[in-house]
Amino acid sequence: MTSMDKTIEIDGVSLHYRDTGEENLRPIIIMHGWGCNVDTVASIENIFKGKMRVLNIDLPGHGGSTEPPSVWGVEDFTAMMEKFISRLALRRPSLIGHSFGGRISLLLSSRNDVDKVLLVDAAGIKPKRSLNYYRKVYTFKAMKHFLTLVLGKKKGMEVVEKMRSKKGSADYRNSSPRMRAVMSRCVNEDLKHVMPSIKAPTLLIWGEDDTATPLSDAETMKRLIPDAGLVSFPGCGHYSFLDNPFGFKAAVSSFFNL
């Protein structure tokens, strides 16, 4: 089965994607996690080759896709994917979202007619924050205000970005300034309110040792999404599809009737 690398211009973004399969096959869209690209989820793509038309997307600011023209939130990413589906005339696509791609899958499936949804170690629930976390946040905001006041906006923001780079997560440190702002905005969006609106059959696959999006997030999603089931793998982390490829393939093949 031949894979073709393609690009399409949507909302000021040159979106790269890998298109595998004939147009008459059932369409399925794969959306990777933050800091990843189409190659990260290639093993998922391979499960469907010859059985469905697979559209493996480099999300804006990742892989071969350009960055968003402004600081996007989940709504902006979702609107772009809705236009992608419309432009390619995809009828009732299935969705796969890993980590950050899960955020888009949740919002997209809550307001569109999709066939099935697979959420893999998906983000979408705002993390519970400790008092120490908020202390650090407000201390940082005060420092930001002080530095821009004393050094000027441009120089002050340069110092602030250096501070953020040292203290942020690996994903944050490896992102450009704009994508860091996008990440900060999206991480603080809670999508629990849209989950009851998801009508498509939904499968949650999770690593029980996932620390980025803990298993408790999956249990919340299972409770809130009307037609959802959960499969969890012991000893697996945030990339459960790589940690347990055989178990993952078996669960996915059964869910999609491959």
Side-chain angles (χ1 to χ4, degrees), residues 186-258:
C186 291
V187 163
N188 286 305
E189 294 186 43
D190 197 322
L191 297 173
K192 289 198 294 291
H193 65 286
V194 307
M195 294 176 190
S197 299
I198 298 173
K199 301 298 188 291
T202 301
L203 177 63
L204 310 165
I205 297 184
W206 236 261
E208 293 182 8
D209 295 340
D210 189 342
T211 56
T213 53
L215 186 60
S216 58
D217 286 4
E219 292 166 345
T220 298
M221 291 181 190
K222 182 179 182 297
R223 176 173 55 83
L224 293 176
I225 299 172
D227 186 8
L230 171 61
V231 174
S232 64
F233 298 136
C236 295
H238 191 54
Y239 292 81
S240 58
F241 62 98
L242 296 177
D243 293 341
N244 187 353
F246 299 108
F248 182 85
K249 182 177 181 180
V252 168
S253 297
S254 175
F255 181 60
F256 285 98
N257 301 313
L258 299 180

Side-chain angles (χ1 to χ4, degrees), residues 55-69:
L55 300 135
N56 189 359
I57 314 291
D58 269 338
L59 294 173
H62 297 79
S65 297
T66 58
E67 291 187 358

